[in-house]
Every structure is written in structure tokens, then in C-alpha cells.
Amino acid sequence: MAVLTFPGVQLLDVAGPAEVFTTANAYGARYDVRVVSAAGGPVATSAQVRLDTGGSWEELPARLGTLVVPGRRDWREAVADPALVAGTAALAGRARRVASVCAGAFMLAEAGLLDGRRAATHWRLARELALAYPGVTVETDALFVRDGNVVTSAGVTAGIDLALALVEEDHGPDVAREVARELVVFMARPGGQSQFSARLTLRESTHPVVRQVMDVVGADPSADHDLTALARRAGVSVRHLSRLFRAHTGMTVGRYAESVRLEAAQALLEASGEPVDTVAARAGFGSAEAMRRAFQNTLGISPTVYRARFRTTVPEGSRFPAAVPEESRSPVAARG
């Protein structure tokens, strides 16, 4: 089990999978986890924490079970290193399976390992991966994607999801479940990447007509944004507006309006305790059921689940008690 590192690598891309595999050894697995770099020795990570890789990739066995390739935030710097790309390709040729975490998919793509394959990466980088490597079919919502012996995962912590899946593949669900419990993480995280960004497909436009319509919709998501009225306001025909909007944003006017309403509903659910019906009305959905369908179709979860998951990071029953104002404390309480 080799985890490749290089200057600027994201620390959690390396540490997350390595921790999963080494933890699995406590429950019956026998992974020989080796964190390596081109020359061995310390590597500066994105978090300015230096990793002692302990060895170079030249010291690895002739055959590898799994090669894990993490990412770097500036993926262009990584793929611009011909020795690193060539080394990745050579190691991959010696491995039974190859996995990438986050922007590590760019390294695999540059090495030609994703040609004709489906792949995942961080949702912010999905479009860049698709544009830079048109031979790759990018799946924007998946936490991880397996295509043959290559597995690619989404951003940073999704490397833990990927590693748990590989542990389950190797040693069964019971071992993977014990590792998940030990690390206090989901064995199978609910939902996909889209739960973290409402408008993954939105492309900002500088076209004056499209920008005007986007601004009108964004200014009041709850208004009745009829296509005919919007076209009249923009001074163009309905057909021309529809064609312009799709060309410059990749979606219809109606889909854009729904995405803005969805984003408004997310903000209301996070910031207020208003009933779901009220949130639906304020965000511009015709009913709570219409909002529920939009959440399920786009985010893969209901509004109620979204609120529970994203309103706070502190589980119910584990919150710190509210601070008592100093002026309201009794002398006895103050002395105690």
C-alpha cells in the first residue's frame, strides 16, 4: 500500500487514507502502508506540516497492492512536473489498483490513466478536469468513482470514504464498519457532493442581457419570474433569451431560477427556525412539496435533513450550555 507524496500535497489527502488503512490493521487487516516521495525524506505539505516520508518510491516492492495518489490545490504545478507524472505512471503500472484523492485525479489524467474512464474530483475542480482532459468522463456529484482498477474520489475528506470502501472490498463490511466506528466517521456517507454546493453547473456570465436577468432573479427569488416577463424586461424575445441563457450559463432560465431559490432556502434553513412551509414560501417555491422535490433532485436530501446537517456542527444534546450574563449571577454562584 503506497501513498505518494510531493511538495505542496494536501496533508489530509495523505493522512486520511493512511489512517484508515493502518487502523484496519487493528481489526485483522495486514496492510503494509508506505508513505513515499521521489527522493524520500521530508516533504512540505499544503498545511506547512512536513511529512517524513521515510523512503523513496525506488525502494518500493516490484509489485504493489494499491497506489494512492493525493492532490495539490494548484494541480497545474503538480502535473507540470514531468518526473512526478512519469513516476506516477510507472508506479501505477506496478499496482493492482490505483486510487486518487481530490486533485490527485489530475495527476492520473496527465499520466493517461483516466483516458476513456469515469472519474471524480473535488466539485470545484470538476469542470477544470473535464476541460483539461476531454477523454475523461467527470462525475460531479460522486464521492468516489470506480472504473476498472482505478478509483477516484472527491475533495479531501472523501479520501476517507474511498479508503473505507477499499477496506470493505479487501476484508469485508465488518472490518470497514469497525474502522469507521474507531475513526468516528460515516461508513457510507449520505448524499453526494452537491449537498455542499447548490449551483455546481452555474457558469457566471458577463453578457449584459444574461447578467441583467440573473440579477433580477437573484434580487427577489420569491417573485414570479415568468420567462415572457423576463424577456420583455431584458428587451429581447423569449426565444433569444432562452438561447442566450443556455449558451452563457449552461442551463435554462427556469433551472437557474430554481437554483437561486434553492440557495435562498438553504440560507433560511441554516439561519432560522422557521417552519419548512414558511421557508418554501419565502424562497419562492410554490409549496413545501415543491421545495422538497428540488432538494431531493439536486442535493439528494430533504430540507429537514439539510437543516439538521448544516445548521450546526454540534449534535443535539452535546451543545455547550449558554453563558450566564455576569450581571445576573448571584454572589454565591460567582464565588462558586
Side-chain angles (χ1 to χ4, degrees):
M1 178 74 64
V3 183
L4 183 62
T5 66
F6 44 86
V9 70
Q10 293 203 143
L11 178 60
L12 194 54
D13 285 9
V14 177
E19 192 67 33
V20 169
F21 296 126
T22 54
T23 301
N25 287 341
Y27 297 98
R30 297 178 62 85
Y31 292 115
D32 178 9
V33 182
R34 304 193 189 184
V35 179
V36 299
S37 60
V43 170
T45 69
S46 61
Q48 303 305 310
V49 174
R50 296 178 73 80
L51 283 176
D52 185 356
T53 59
S56 72
W57 60 38
E58 298 295 337
E59 300 171 41
L60 289 171
R63 298 298 301 169
L64 301 172
T66 304
L67 172 68
V68 179
V69 180
R72 172 175 172 161
R73 286 194 179 95
D74 186 353
W75 60 266
R76 291 177 181 82
E77 285 290 327
V79 302
D81 184 339
L84 180 58
V85 174
T88 300
L91 290 173
R94 294 156 51 186
R96 177 171 61 88
R97 66 188 174 197
V98 180
S100 70
V101 183
C102 195
F106 288 87
M107 185 69 71
L108 298 190
E110 184 68 21
L113 300 170
L114 296 183
D115 291 346
R117 296 186 189 269
R118 297 176 298 111
T121 189
H122 191 290
W123 62 265
R124 288 190 187 276
L125 300 175
R127 187 163 177 263
E128 293 180 39
L129 181 62
L131 289 174
Y133 302 97
V136 181
T137 301
V138 182
E139 298 197 2
T140 58
D141 191 38
L143 290 173
F144 59 88
V145 171
R146 178 158 197 159
D147 192 327
N149 71 330
V150 179
V151 194
T152 51
S153 77
V156 195
T157 58
I160 295 174
D161 299 84
L162 178 149
L164 283 169
L166 297 183
V167 170
E168 181 176 1
E169 178 182 303
D170 295 339
H171 300 285
D174 290 341
V175 173
R177 189 174 298 111
E178 289 301 324
V179 175
R181 286 173 177 164
E182 181 71 20
L183 299 181
V184 198
V185 295
F186 285 115
M187 182 173 172
R189 194 191 315 192
Q193 290 196 81
S194 58
Q195 62 187 292
F196 303 107
S197 173
R199 293 190 264 174
L200 294 180
T201 57
L202 177 61
R203 286 175 283 173
E204 291 295 338
S205 172
T206 57
H207 191 285
V209 171
V210 176
R211 187 71 261 169
Q212 179 184 357
V213 172
M214 293 173 78
D215 290 343
V216 168
V217 174
D220 186 6
S222 65
D224 182 11
H225 295 301
D226 175 76
L227 182 58
T228 302
L230 287 172
R232 187 183 305 114
R233 183 163 182 169
V236 296
S237 69
V238 168
R239 184 178 179 182
H240 187 52
L241 175 59
S242 298
R243 186 167 55 247
L244 275 177
F245 210 90
R246 184 177 286 279
H248 286 268
T249 71
M251 63 176 69
T252 65
V253 177
R255 180 67 187 89
Y256 176 75
E258 182 179 273
S259 75
V260 172
R261 287 168 177 152
L262 188 66
E263 192 168 82
Q266 287 176 277
L268 289 168
L269 288 168
E270 292 167 16
S272 76
E274 293 179 332
V276 171
D277 286 350
T278 304
V279 170
R282 290 186 60 192
F285 289 99
S287 65
E289 175 59 23
M291 184 173 76
R292 187 194 67 78
R293 286 197 302 270
F295 267 74
Q296 288 288 358
N297 291 340
T298 305
L299 307 180
I301 54 177
S302 70
T304 303
V305 171
Y306 180 89
R307 168 177 271 165
R309 189 175 299 170
F310 290 98
R311 191 175 180 188
T312 178
T313 59
V314 183
E316 192 66 38
S318 302
R319 297 191 175 99
F320 293 109
V324 178
E326 188 170 342
E327 61 271 16
S328 66
R329 298 175 187 165
S330 69
V332 174
R335 288 196 300 271

